[in-house]
Amino acid sequence: AQSVTQLGSHVSVSEGALVLLRCNYSSSVPPYLFWYVQYPNQGLQLLLKYTSAATLVKGINGFEAEFKKSETSFHLTKPSAHMSDAAEYFCAVRDRGTTPLVFGKGTRLSVIA
Amino acid sequence: EPEVTQTPSHQVTQMGQEVILRCVPISNHLYFYWYRQILGQKVEFLVSFYNNEISEKSEIFDDQFSVERPDGSNFTLKIRSTKLEDSAMYFCASETGGNQPQHFGDGTRLSIL
């Protein structure tokens, strides 16, 4: 069975600082991996996806994530945090297309001025 | 950009009453999903639907739940006799298939009194 672990339920960074949100997955087959962002009172918006092409994936709003098979990780980074990045971030996995997503517990990102 | 639309945004219902949550998926999408997020917990899969039938369901999706695509555009989730523990945010998602990601609506917050 697949699972996702997001280390840190809450991460706080200063504006302009590096953002690093951690995600480790468990899957018996090459996974499809996703990061979604949830702003307050809104739905889940896709940030980026990994589907076995390039291991470094670029997404929206300056975010990117690197797939590391040896570490079973898919950490999300952004070089310089902006106040508008404050939100809940979810890592998700599935083993092939058209199957349900398995989500991590989420990491709440706070950005301090 | 096309969106998944969910109505209502907030539903308050007495315990034991039936509730129907409505979703309009993106028009060319073929696969549909319901997820829920209990406050403070992770997003959990409920059910997937393709070609007018359930393709997969979780153990949460018991006999009190049903889904329907009544008219080719709407996708509904019915809870027959609501319980206090059904209080959650319910998300609808849709996708075209293949390696494409799921697109989520803004959710319906269901409050059971």
Side-chain angles (χ1 to χ4, degrees):
Chain A
Q2 299 158 303
S3 65
V4 173
T5 302
Q6 291 185 242
L7 293 176
S9 59
H10 184 205
V11 170
S12 185
V13 300
S14 298
E15 191 173 21
L18 172 71
V19 175
L20 171 60
L21 305 182
R22 299 177 187 274
C23 171
N24 289 88
Y25 69 91
S26 171
S27 177
S28 57
V29 298
Y32 295 162
L33 292 158
F34 306 85
W35 276 98
Y36 284 86
V37 60
Q38 184 181 31
Y39 297 102
N41 300 314
Q42 293 187 27
L44 299 165
Q45 180 182 1
L46 179 71
L47 271 180
L48 49 79
K49 63 176 182 179
Y50 167 78
T51 56
S52 77
T55 56
L56 182 62
V57 181
K58 294 190 184 299
I60 62 171
N61 302 338
F63 284 93
E64 61 182 36
E66 186 172 8
F67 172 70
K68 291 187 176 180
K69 184 179 178 181
S70 60
E71 298 178 8
T72 60
S73 69
F74 190 57
H75 302 331
L76 182 70
T77 59
K78 181 174 180 178
S80 176
H82 192 273
M83 298 296 288
S84 60
D85 295 327
E88 188 94 16
Y89 290 80
F90 292 92
C91 183
V93 65
R94 65 182 184 183
D95 60 7
R96 64 184 188 280
T98 69
T99 56
L101 291 168
V102 175
F103 285 87
K105 289 187 176 180
T107 297
R108 183 161 60 90
L109 175 66
S110 297
V111 182
I112 304 166
Chain B
E1 184 175 325
E3 294 181 340
V4 175
T5 306
Q6 290 187 243
T7 55
S9 57
H10 191 191
Q11 174 82 45
V12 182
T13 303
Q14 292 288 331
M15 186 172 59
Q17 296 296 305
E18 174 183 288
V19 66
I20 298 176
L21 309 183
R22 302 181 191 280
C23 169
V24 179
I26 295 173
S27 61
N28 64 335
H29 286 190
L30 302 175
Y31 297 83
F32 314 111
Y33 304 82
W34 283 102
Y35 294 83
R36 79 172 185 190
Q37 183 183 27
I38 295 172
L39 188 63
Q41 298 186 25
K42 67 168 70 176
V43 178
E44 302 172 290
F45 165 71
L46 292 177
V47 64
S48 58
F49 193 86
Y50 169 71
N51 199 25
N52 285 320
E53 60 183 28
I54 290 173
S55 46
E56 192 170 345
K57 60 183 180 179
S58 72
E59 57 191 27
I60 302 169
F61 193 87
D62 61 22
D63 292 344
Q64 293 299 313
F65 291 88
S66 62
V67 289
E68 195 176 39
R69 189 158 160 80
D71 57 13
S73 62
N74 290 283
F75 179 50
T76 62
L77 174 70
K78 182 194 290 186
I79 309 175
R80 243 177 296 278
S81 178
T82 50
K83 304 187 271 290
L84 292 176
E85 54 265 37
D86 294 327
S87 294
M89 181 74 91
Y90 288 80
F91 291 107
C92 175
S94 68
E95 65 171 290
T96 55
N99 295 336
Q100 297 307 309
Q102 295 176 16
H103 295 259
F104 285 77
D106 282 347
T108 294
R109 181 172 300 283
L110 178 62
S111 300
I112 307 300
L113 305 179

